[in-house]
């Protein structure tokens, strides 16, 4: 198998794996990912019950429940390890090459500043109370948002035994209700709610910018290596003994043989720029329209029910069903963003 085929397989595999790690859940808004988790769980359960001994099944089930469905710091540790690996790679390889080729030091300074800003925002997203609702404080949340009587109704949380404020949801992983619940993020080992959604958005922005900056500087340093060694002007003999100039794939292959880990990190960062950029764009859209991931998920479910509902003749006008307000809490971009970054105190 040639280098190009291996590179394509690596890129596709890394992209799919990263997408599953970033958004993977049975409640994901991406139907393919949701389908993968739901049916993958069924297939794995069938295989376990058919092939794996019962004693081992209990161990594996306990491990997966602990790993996926309870609050634990595993993904936080993984993120921190990845942060250290990329930081060391940049310091020991990329920065050395940038200094060798006299790349402007401001770019390097900004990159190091970005590393620590990203880590700070990660810790803020992880540690700040997302808006936990308890029996002691639930009353102060009741008047913040009105019930739309569609997605949110005046009901009691069966677990917390309190009246659920509008836009709140009980997180089964954290085992408490959260004000303006968006989703539970395994990477920060915390829910994303009214009080930390602003930090979470800033965290996503810092990841995207930092990955783009490190990937750009890494690519630039590799370009300078290829330029100074004459690789860009090199040629080769093809199968017919005809001399041809090297193309981009040959250049990357040659650089990969010299610095495999460097090329691996650089290509991985470019993939992450696309994925985290898409994730950031989605959450920016939610912030600008005053919606949450939970509400978008509920909307898809309730929309299907709404289409199947029958209405009385008095409710139907011009042959059309009455429309429900799917964006009930939208107050305009400026006020929506102020609400996101100031929390419920702006209400």
């Amino acid at each position: 198998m040639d280098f190009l085929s291996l590179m394509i397989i690596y890129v596709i595999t890394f992209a799919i794996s990263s997408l599953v790690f970033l958004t993977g859940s049975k409640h994901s808004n991406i139907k393919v990912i949701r389908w993968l988790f739901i049916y993958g769980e069924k297939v794995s359960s069938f295989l376990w019950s058919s092939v794996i001994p019962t004693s081992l099944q209990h161990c594996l089930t306990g491990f997966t429940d602990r790993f996926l469905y309870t609050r634990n710091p595993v993904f936080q540790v993984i993120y921190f390890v990845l942060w250290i690996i990329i930081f060391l790679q940049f310091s020991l390889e990329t920065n050395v090459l940038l200094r060798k080729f006299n790349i402007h030091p401001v770019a390097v300074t900004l990159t190091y500043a970005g590393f620590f800003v990203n880590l700070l925002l990660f810790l803020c997203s992880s540690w700040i109370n997302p808006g936990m609702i308890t029996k002691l404080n639930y009353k102060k949340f009741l008047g913040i948002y009105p019930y739309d009587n569609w997605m949110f109704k005046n009901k009691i949380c069966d677990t917390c035994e309190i009246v659920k404020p509008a836009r709140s949801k009980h997180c089964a992983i954290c085992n408490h209700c959260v004000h303006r619940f968006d989703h539970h993020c395994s990477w920060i080992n915390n829910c994303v709610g009214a009080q930390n959604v602003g930090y979470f958005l800033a965290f996503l922005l810092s990841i995207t910018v930092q990955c783009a900056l490190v990937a750009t500087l890494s690519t630039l340093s590799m370009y300078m290596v290829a330029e100074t060694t004459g690789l860009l002007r090199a040629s080769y003999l093809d199968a017919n003994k005809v001399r041809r100039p090297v193309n981009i794939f040959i250049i990357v292959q040659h650089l990969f043989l010299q610095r495999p880990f460097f090329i691996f990190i650089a290509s991985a960062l470019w993939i992450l720029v696309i994925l985290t950029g898409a994730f950031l764009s989605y959450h920016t859209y939610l912030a600008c329209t005053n919606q949450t991931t939970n509400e978008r998920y509920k909307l898809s479910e309730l929309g299907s029910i709404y289409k199947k509902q029958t209405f009385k003749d008095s409710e139907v006008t011009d042959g059309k069903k009455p429309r429900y307000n799917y964006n009930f809490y939208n107050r305009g971009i400026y006020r929506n963003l102020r609400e996101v970054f100031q929390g419920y105190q702006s209400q």
Side-chain angles (χ1 to χ4, degrees):
M1 186 178 293
D2 60 10
F3 174 78
L4 177 58
S5 301
L6 287 172
M7 196 66 183
I8 292 174
I9 291 173
Y10 156 68
V11 169
I12 294 175
T13 304
F14 183 82
I16 293 175
S17 302
S18 300
L19 183 62
V20 171
F21 261 90
L22 288 171
T23 65
S25 168
K26 289 189 293 185
H27 306 294
S28 173
N29 283 327
I30 303 175
K31 291 184 178 179
V32 175
I33 300 297
R34 190 161 67 241
W35 179 89
L36 180 65
F37 267 75
I38 292 174
Y39 288 97
E41 185 177 285
K42 292 180 179 180
V43 171
S44 62
S45 297
F46 172 76
L47 292 176
W48 283 11
S49 61
S50 304
V51 180
I52 300 176
T54 305
S55 57
L56 186 57
Q57 286 181 35
H58 292 312
C59 293
L60 292 175
T61 301
F63 172 77
T64 54
D65 287 345
R66 174 67 180 170
F67 183 69
L68 296 176
Y69 304 116
T70 59
R71 195 176 184 192
N72 63 79
V74 172
F75 282 93
Q76 287 177 300
V77 173
I78 292 174
Y79 183 85
F80 190 65
V81 170
L82 292 175
W83 186 94
I84 292 175
I85 289 173
I86 297 174
F87 180 84
L88 292 176
Q89 186 274 336
F90 180 82
S91 300
L92 300 178
E93 287 194 86
T94 306
N95 188 29
V96 172
L97 291 173
L98 293 174
R99 292 173 61 185
K100 177 181 178 181
F101 298 120
N102 296 320
I103 303 300
H104 203 288
V106 172
V108 177
T109 303
L110 288 175
T111 305
Y112 277 115
F115 273 116
F116 291 101
V117 168
N118 173 258
L119 186 59
L120 177 62
L121 291 171
F122 172 73
L123 295 175
C124 288
S125 301
S126 300
W127 291 345
I128 288 179
N129 184 343
M132 184 170 61
I133 303 173
T134 66
K135 290 183 179 180
L136 298 177
N137 67 1
Y138 78 94
K139 290 184 179 180
K140 77 176 183 180
F141 293 100
L142 291 175
I144 293 175
Y145 293 109
Y147 294 99
D148 65 350
N149 295 317
W150 180 256
M151 287 188 288
F152 303 104
K153 299 178 181 180
N154 192 342
K155 291 184 176 181
I156 302 292
C157 174
D158 295 332
T159 305
C160 298
E161 298 180 341
I162 58 174
V163 178
K164 292 174 63 175
R167 307 192 78 181
S168 67
K169 184 181 183 301
H170 184 87
C171 177
I173 297 177
C174 295
N175 197 32
H176 55 66
C177 289
V178 176
H179 174 54
R180 198 183 182 277
F181 179 86
D182 189 276
H183 70 288
H184 181 90
C185 179
S186 298
W187 287 102
I188 63 173
N189 192 28
N190 197 9
C191 290
V192 177
Q195 292 300 93
N196 67 344
V197 64
Y199 290 102
F200 183 73
L201 270 173
F203 170 58
L204 291 179
L205 176 62
S206 71
I207 290 178
T208 306
V209 172
Q210 189 65 11
C211 286
L213 187 56
V214 176
T216 299
L217 292 177
S218 299
T219 304
L220 176 61
S221 62
M222 284 293 95
Y223 173 82
M224 297 300 295
V225 169
E227 174 67 28
T228 55
T229 58
L231 183 59
L232 296 179
R233 299 178 295 277
S235 59
Y236 70 100
L237 294 176
D238 63 11
N240 299 319
K241 305 299 182 182
V242 177
R243 185 167 295 278
R244 299 181 183 278
V246 295
N247 55 38
I248 183 64
F249 299 111
I250 295 176
I251 294 173
V252 173
Q253 181 177 3
H254 183 80
L255 293 173
F256 180 80
L257 293 174
Q258 289 184 330
R259 299 172 181 267
F261 187 69
F262 191 100
I263 298 299
F264 173 82
I265 292 294
S267 56
L269 287 173
W270 280 120
I271 295 172
L272 288 176
V273 169
I274 298 172
L275 295 178
T276 57
F279 201 48
L280 171 65
S281 300
Y282 173 71
H283 277 278
T284 301
Y285 165 75
L286 292 181
C288 291
T289 56
N290 207 335
Q291 299 180 81
T292 66
T293 302
N294 176 53
E295 290 165 3
R296 296 290 296 180
Y297 179 71
K298 289 171 68 72
L299 182 64
S300 64
E301 290 186 327
L302 293 172
S304 300
I305 298 173
Y306 179 81
K307 291 178 182 178
K308 297 176 182 177
Q309 281 183 340
T310 56
F311 295 86
K312 298 177 182 178
D313 292 339
S314 59
E315 296 176 323
V316 178
T317 57
D318 298 328
K320 298 180 180 179
K321 297 178 181 180
R323 295 186 61 186
Y324 65 92
N325 191 346
Y326 69 93
N327 206 351
F328 186 78
Y329 300 103
N330 188 357
R331 304 188 302 160
I333 293 178
Y334 172 74
R335 294 180 70 184
N336 291 341
L337 291 177
R338 188 180 68 175
E339 177 182 316
V340 166
F341 287 99
Q342 290 185 3
Y344 67 85
Q345 294 177 352
S346 64
Q347 301 297 308

